[in-house]
Amino acid sequence: MPVTQTLENTTKKDQHVYQGDNRWYRIWYLRKLYFNILVKQLPKLGFVNAARTQFPFAFKDAIAPPSLSVEFTNYCNLSCTYCTSPLNLRPKGLMSDYIFDRVVEGIVDCEVKRVRVIGNGEAGIHPNYKEYIKELRRVTSVISLTTNAKFNKEAFIYDTIDAGFDQLNISVDSDNKNSYEKLRVRGNFEKLVGDLKKLKEYKDGKKSKTMINIRVMISPEDFDRQKEIMDFWKPFADVISKQYVIDINDLHTDTFATDARNGRFPACSLPFKTLDIQWNGNIPLCSYSFKQSGLPEGVLIGNIGKTSLQEIWNGPLIKQYRDAHRSRNEASMPLCNNCMGT
């Protein structure tokens, strides 16, 4: 999946002022999505787990990860122009049953409430996708999937709803064939629209509680047509959200530039609320550490195939960064210098 972030306080497409620590603005900006999440997921997550995602400094450090992001694979069936996946920054592979079993073990032992199936690829490519989803559904309270909805088989459309996801995030671009297929190489705009129609109709017919969130990726070219583009996708979703595509890897494609300022240390919530588990079991300090460090897999704090999830969550480096964020000790969080934050 692409590395993107909300473009905040923006009035012109050539202006970008990203304020990673502006939590209240983020809540207002994504208020419709957050409202739906709160209504449907709060009873399962609990107030503290939900609030910690936006206001981590208001609570003591969690003794175990409140949420996990799990990457089944970093292979993808698309090659988006702004995404890091086609760059092959790290080895490609599929999560093994051994690593997956360790993930499940960690979820149970740590009583993880929320699992996001996401990553630098398309989860549905994994041959054990259905079995993995079924098992995750069994052991956690809230589960979501982020997908490009490039369904190779029609049965996959129905399987996705039948899997019982709490939230289905579908990433799309623009509202026409030329723009979509220019950005989403190997994509098929007409098929996507047809499949999304079938998905929504099947979901409504089954009275499924899955929330379909269509997330529109906004590039500078489409900046002035945001409302028109989002209105196009509304019939296929329960809620529409948007993200502005940021040029975090200096690809110089149709993306928004970052606000590069040395000495800026945003107040980040990531080390307080989640761990990202890559397909091979590696767990980086955060999802941005690959960019900050120049290491393809990021600054690793452990591998779930070798170390328990509890030990990794309470390891010395991630605790150092939590303490540094709480005290605003910039010397103890060098990787956060000029980071996007979240």
Side-chain angles (χ1 to χ4, degrees):
M1 289 298 160
V3 179
T4 59
Q5 270 298 354
T6 302
L7 190 68
E8 300 167 346
N9 298 343
T10 302
T11 56
K12 299 178 181 178
K13 65 181 178 181
D14 58 349
Q15 175 186 357
H16 169 55
V17 180
Y18 175 71
Q19 299 174 351
D21 50 0
N22 191 338
R23 302 295 163 192
W24 288 112
Y25 189 88
R26 182 188 297 273
I27 289 173
W28 172 252
Y29 179 81
L30 295 173
R31 60 192 180 279
K32 292 182 180 179
L33 176 60
Y34 283 154
F35 177 77
N36 279 273
I37 290 174
L38 285 175
V39 168
K40 297 182 179 182
Q41 299 179 18
L42 185 59
K44 296 180 180 181
L45 290 174
F47 173 78
V48 173
N49 268 335
R52 194 188 302 276
T53 63
Q54 296 301 318
F55 305 103
F57 306 120
F59 305 93
K60 293 181 179 179
D61 292 354
I63 61 174
S67 67
L68 294 178
S69 294
V70 181
E71 178 186 73
F72 288 177
T73 181
N74 58 352
Y75 286 113
C76 193
N77 47 15
L78 294 181
S79 184
C80 302
T81 59
Y82 51 75
C83 185
T84 59
S85 182
L87 301 179
N88 297 317
L89 298 178
R90 53 188 170 94
K92 299 281 188 180
L94 300 165
M95 180 171 281
S96 68
D97 288 346
Y98 172 72
I99 293 297
F100 179 76
D101 289 344
R102 293 284 288 172
V103 172
V104 171
E105 180 183 321
I107 292 170
V108 173
D109 291 346
C110 295
E111 299 181 352
V112 177
K113 296 292 186 182
R114 183 184 182 192
V115 174
R116 300 186 307 154
V117 179
I118 191 172
N120 204 218
E122 181 61 30
I125 290 176
H126 198 291
N128 296 332
Y129 166 81
K130 287 178 64 174
E131 291 76 13
Y132 284 4
I133 293 298
K134 183 178 180 180
E135 185 65 9
L136 291 177
R137 176 75 282 177
R138 183 183 68 83
V139 298
T140 194
S141 301
V142 173
I143 181 172
S144 67
L145 170 70
T146 297
T147 176
N148 58 36
K150 187 178 186 295
F151 303 130
N152 293 327
K153 297 180 180 179
E154 185 168 337
F156 196 85
I157 298 172
Y158 313 119
D159 290 343
T160 300
I161 296 300
D162 293 339
F165 291 105
D166 294 273
Q167 185 173 335
L168 184 60
N169 300 307
I170 300 173
S171 179
V172 301
D173 284 280
S174 197
D175 61 350
N176 63 83
K177 179 179 177 65
N178 288 340
S179 295
Y180 176 86
E181 294 182 3
K182 180 179 71 173
L183 294 168
R184 304 234 162 189
V185 179
R186 297 199 301 271
N188 183 310
F189 183 76
E190 293 94 339
K191 186 175 188 304
L192 171 68
V193 172
D195 286 350
L196 290 183
K197 182 178 180 181
K198 293 176 184 177
L199 184 76
K200 186 66 163 57
E201 289 177 347
Y202 184 71
K203 182 246 181 188
D204 291 344
K206 295 278 290 189
K207 297 182 178 180
S208 167
K209 294 182 180 180
T210 297
M211 181 182 73
I212 299 177
N213 167 42
I214 291 188
R215 184 166 56 198
V216 183
M217 315 304 289
I218 302 293
S219 62
E221 181 179 310
D222 289 330
F223 187 88
D224 294 329
R225 299 181 56 251
Q226 295 177 65
K227 186 180 185 304
E228 181 181 343
I229 292 171
M230 295 179 75
D231 285 345
F232 174 85
W233 296 106
K234 277 184 180 179
F236 311 109
D238 298 305
V239 63
I240 295 286
S241 62
K242 60 183 175 182
Q243 282 187 297
Y244 294 84
V245 185
I246 306 300
D247 191 10
I248 196 172
N249 287 294
D250 302 319
L251 298 177
H252 306 295
T253 53
D254 186 28
T255 54
F256 292 92
T258 58
D259 180 20
R261 287 182 291 148
N262 186 48
R264 181 178 177 276
F265 292 80
C268 184
S269 63
L270 285 177
F272 298 89
K273 69 183 183 183
T274 193
L275 290 177
D276 299 331
I277 305 177
Q278 298 173 356
W279 66 268
N280 57 4
N282 282 340
I283 299 178
L285 175 65
C286 77
S287 56
Y288 292 99
S289 66
F290 81 94
K291 169 64 176 178
Q292 298 300 103
S293 66
L295 301 172
E297 294 180 293
V299 176
L300 299 181
I301 58 174
N303 184 293
I304 200 167
K306 302 174 182 177
T307 309
S308 73
L309 192 64
Q310 186 79 48
E311 289 178 275
I312 295 171
W313 176 254
N314 291 294
L317 187 59
I318 194 169
K319 289 185 71 175
Q320 172 188 319
Y321 272 75
R322 288 191 205 114
D323 292 343
H325 274 287
R326 286 192 183 278
S327 64
R328 303 309 301 158
N329 181 356
E330 296 174 356
S332 293
M333 51 178 177
L335 283 171
C336 301
N337 182 23
N338 190 28
C339 184
M340 294 297 295
T342 187

